Amino acid sequence: MCHALVMPTPSLAKGKSPNTSHDYVARVVVTSRNYADFGNEATFEIKKYDLHRLEEGPPTTAVLTREQGLQYYKTMQTIRRMELKADQLYKQKIIRGFCHLYDGQEACCVGLEAAINRTDHLITAYRAHGFTYTRGVPVREILAELTGRIGGCAKGKGGSMHMYAKNFYGGNGIVGAQVPLGAGIALACKYFGNDEICVTLYGDGAANQGQIFETFNMAALWKLPCIFICENNGYGMGTSVERAAASTDYYKRGDFIPGLRVDGMDVLAVREATKFAAGHCRAGKGPIVIELQTYRYHGHSMSDPGVSYRTREEIQEVRSKSDPITLLKDRMVNNNLASVEELKEIDVEVRKQIEDAAQFATTDPEPPLEELGNYIYNKDPPFEVRGPNLWTRYKSVG
């Protein structure tokens, strides 16, 4: 079984318009390599975990199958391209309001999702696009939500910070407030005895919030099946962790709760750590804290250029040495799990998917004004109490 890579002609690569037929000629490079030539799996060393109140941690080697590798690569590449498209749409003023991008942190959500069940529960902060995708929401619904269209996953009413799916509770806009909510979900898991767990995520900026420590205390007392995950991307808003926290050992912050510090740029390290933590919770041992050391390429939000408190050289160094997608790609190619050409084919497929989704997100209609009050309450239409549906007298024009 051969595979083909479509490449542009030199004239097209130089930026000439593809609108005329004589310019748009594709060269097809056919490789004779058969898929059977690739290995089925390979074993990789993982950076040593830092442990807190644990006698032993996750394994320091991980097996990656070819099928898993291709899946992880495509998912991470999709999230990366989706975020870059969101950046473009925001700068075109098609996306408005708050928008927090996830590019650079893709290994966190992909590795985490690979280690839990779809029936498990997940709640996160406002940097939520990647988790929305790994929880099963299509790219077109995510981008349509960002552009405020009725085809969005929250019908255009949630925007960047408030996305939901089955067993996914958002996208929460109040710093750290999702952590006690996650403990509440974990309490429900324990109450129903269904062997489900809740993964509760927050950032290093939220880690100093008092409600997180209150939640740790309750979770430890009640032995809740909750994995608390701090995505430490080095900066909360525009402040580095060293300037914001007396202790930057976030994995130790649970005190009597065991903790792990993990290389959050390595999808396999994240996967193995989360598997270990999920097993800990399902065994009835109570909560566990994971600190994922990761990095965001964009600023905190779109209003933050991200270069006033860090240098462009720092960002470029992370990109060149620790990029999660490049790391996985190199592992797969160097260990005969995939070819460069095959991964390029995935890149082409992903770009087309993102462009199609963006087309939908910019042409789908906005929700009509008369629906503004719908879904605020469980009942639809809204029930009468102090006039919550006063705006239903307004109608959309045009």
Side-chain angles (χ1 to χ4, degrees), residues 44 46 49 62-64 72 266-273 331:
F44 298 96
I46 292 174
Y49 303 96
V63 175
L64 177 70
Y72 300 164
D266 180 353
V267 68
L268 297 182
V270 177
R271 185 190 72 183
E272 295 307 310
R331 278 175 163 172

Side-chain angles (χ1 to χ4, degrees), residues 9 49 60 90 102 106 111 120 140 143 180 209 220 237-238 243 259 282 369 383:
T9 61
Y49 303 96
T60 53
Y90 197 97
Y102 201 70
E106 296 90 352
D120 289 325
R140 59 190 273 141
L143 289 182
Q209 289 279 322
M237 288 280 191
R243 293 178 60 216
R282 294 191 214 278
L369 192 58
F383 55 85

Side-chain angles (χ1 to χ4, degrees), residues 254-318:
D255 195 3
F256 284 92
I257 299 176
L260 291 164
R261 183 155 58 192
V262 182
D263 180 1
M265 305 299 270
D266 180 353
V267 68
L268 297 182
V270 177
R271 185 190 72 183
E272 295 307 310
T274 309
K275 274 185 188 176
F276 175 87
H280 177 95
C281 290
R282 294 191 214 278
K285 296 178 181 178
I288 190 168
V289 176
I290 297 178
E291 176 189 343
L292 298 178
Q293 292 187 309
T294 183
Y295 199 83
R296 56 172 165 79
Y297 293 153
H298 271 85
H300 173 74
S301 67
M302 293 303 295
S303 60
D304 167 23
V307 291
S308 58
Y309 49 86
R310 60 181 183 179
T311 63
R312 285 187 170 85
E313 289 74 23
E314 176 187 309
I315 302 169
Q316 191 53 45
E317 184 178 11
V318 176

